[in-house]
Amino acid sequence: AQTVTQSQPEMSVQEAETVTLSCTYDTSENNYYLFWYKQPPSRQMILVIRQEAYKQQNATENRFSVNFQKAAKSFSLKISDSQLGDTAMYFCAFMKPNTGANSKLTFGKGITLSVRP
Amino acid sequence: DAGVTQSPTHLIKTRGQQVTLRCSPKSGHDTVSWYQQALGQGPQFIFQYYEEEERQRGNFPDRFSGHQFPNYSSELNVNALLLGDSALYLCASSSRAGEQYFGPGTRLTVT
C-alpha cells in the first residue's frame, strides 16, 4: 500500500516571498503520478500541479513548481511570489495508474499555509 | 460547462439514520470517485464507479454503498449512521486517462 506523509502541519509566509511545502511518499511502484491539491476555505479541492514519475524534468505551473526526487521519494512544492489567495490547505497525493478506470488518490494529511499581508 | 456538482451542500442526520448524497460529473467524464474527509485530515478513498460498476473500494464498511447511473451521475449511500461518519464527502470525476476534478463536497453532520 502507498503512504503519503506531510510532516509540517502548518506554515506561514510573507506576501511576495517564496515558500516550500514538503511531502514524502512510500511505494514499490515504478510508474505513478504525484499531485499537489489546494483546498481553500471554500472547500473546493483544486489541482495545483501534477508530476509523472517517469519524467525527470520537474513540473512547473506559473508560480508553482515541484522538486521531485524519485530515489528519495520526495515531492516538494515551491510557491514563488506568494499571494494572499494562496492561503489554503495543501495536500500532496499519490496515484498509481490502473488499466481501465482511473486509480484512486492517496492523500497526505495536508498542510495549512497562511500568507501574511 | 458546469464542473462537478454535488447535492446537498449540508446535511444533518441522527445516529442510525440513512443518507444519500449525489454527484454529477463534469461533462465528458465517465468515472466517479468518492472520498471522505474528516475535519483537519486528508481525504480518504471510499470507492470508484465506472461503467455503472464499483471498480475499486477503500477500507470502508459495507454500510457505505454506491451507485452509478447511465448518465454517469452517482450516489453515495450510508446506512446506520454513526457519529464518526460526520465529515465532508467529496466526489471527483475523471475520464479514463485524465485527472480527477473535485466537487464542492457535502458536509454531513451526524448528531
Side-chain angles (χ1 to χ4, degrees):
Chain A
Q2 291 74 35
T3 59
V4 177
T5 302
Q6 295 179 254
S7 56
Q8 308 155 303
E10 52 186 84
M11 290 190 73
S12 180
V13 64
Q14 194 76 32
E15 194 175 9
E17 293 188 345
T18 295
V19 64
T20 298
L21 311 182
S22 301
C23 173
T24 59
Y25 59 94
D26 188 27
T27 183
S28 58
E29 302 291 333
N30 187 52
N31 186 28
Y32 49 86
Y33 299 101
L34 294 166
F35 304 87
W36 278 98
Y37 279 89
K38 167 186 176 181
Q39 188 177 41
S42 65
R43 308 181 327 201
Q44 185 93 37
M45 193 77 76
I46 302 164
L47 178 65
V48 175
I49 200 165
R50 159 187 171 142
Q51 175 79 44
E52 290 88 348
Y54 65 87
K55 290 186 177 179
Q56 292 189 345
Q57 187 172 6
N58 289 322
T60 299
E61 287 288 341
N62 301 313
R63 299 183 294 109
F64 299 89
S65 62
V66 300
N67 183 4
F68 173 49
Q69 301 290 328
K70 190 173 183 179
K73 296 180 182 175
S74 170
F75 183 60
S76 61
L77 174 70
K78 186 172 80 170
I79 305 175
S80 304
D81 185 25
S82 295
Q83 300 176 0
L84 296 178
D86 295 334
T87 293
M89 276 202 81
Y90 286 80
F91 293 95
C92 178
F94 173 101
M95 186 175 83
K96 178 173 72 72
N98 218 352
T99 55
N102 278 329
S103 185
K104 66 177 183 179
L105 286 164
T106 299
F107 287 88
K109 288 187 176 182
I111 177 172
T112 300
L113 176 66
S114 299
V115 180
R116 307 186 304 274
Chain B
D1 172 33
V4 181
T5 60
Q6 292 186 244
S7 63
T9 305
H10 298 91
L11 203 52
I12 300 175
K13 289 287 188 178
T14 304
R15 276 177 298 176
Q17 286 188 318
Q18 178 264 343
V19 68
T20 297
L21 310 181
R22 295 175 176 82
C23 172
S24 291
K26 183 178 170 66
S27 178
H29 287 181
D30 56 11
T31 302
V32 173
S33 303
W34 287 92
Y35 295 83
Q36 180 195 66
Q37 186 180 16
L39 197 62
Q41 300 295 315
Q44 298 290 316
F45 176 75
I46 302 175
F47 43 52
Q48 183 180 83
Y49 277 84
Y50 171 68
E51 292 186 335
E52 302 179 50
E53 290 188 14
E54 184 183 294
R55 298 292 179 161
Q56 297 186 74
R57 189 179 183 90
N59 189 25
F60 280 81
D62 291 344
R63 297 187 298 108
F64 289 77
S65 63
H67 188 77
Q68 186 178 35
F69 299 93
N71 67 353
Y72 309 120
S73 66
S74 177
E75 289 181 347
L76 164 65
N77 301 293
V78 188
N79 294 323
L81 284 167
L82 304 174
L83 294 179
D85 295 331
S86 294
L88 179 67
Y89 288 84
L90 296 167
C91 167
S93 75
S94 55
S95 59
R96 291 183 66 177
E99 293 152 2
Q100 295 190 21
Y101 290 79
F102 283 82
T106 294
R107 172 71 66 190
L108 172 65
T109 302
V110 182
T111 62

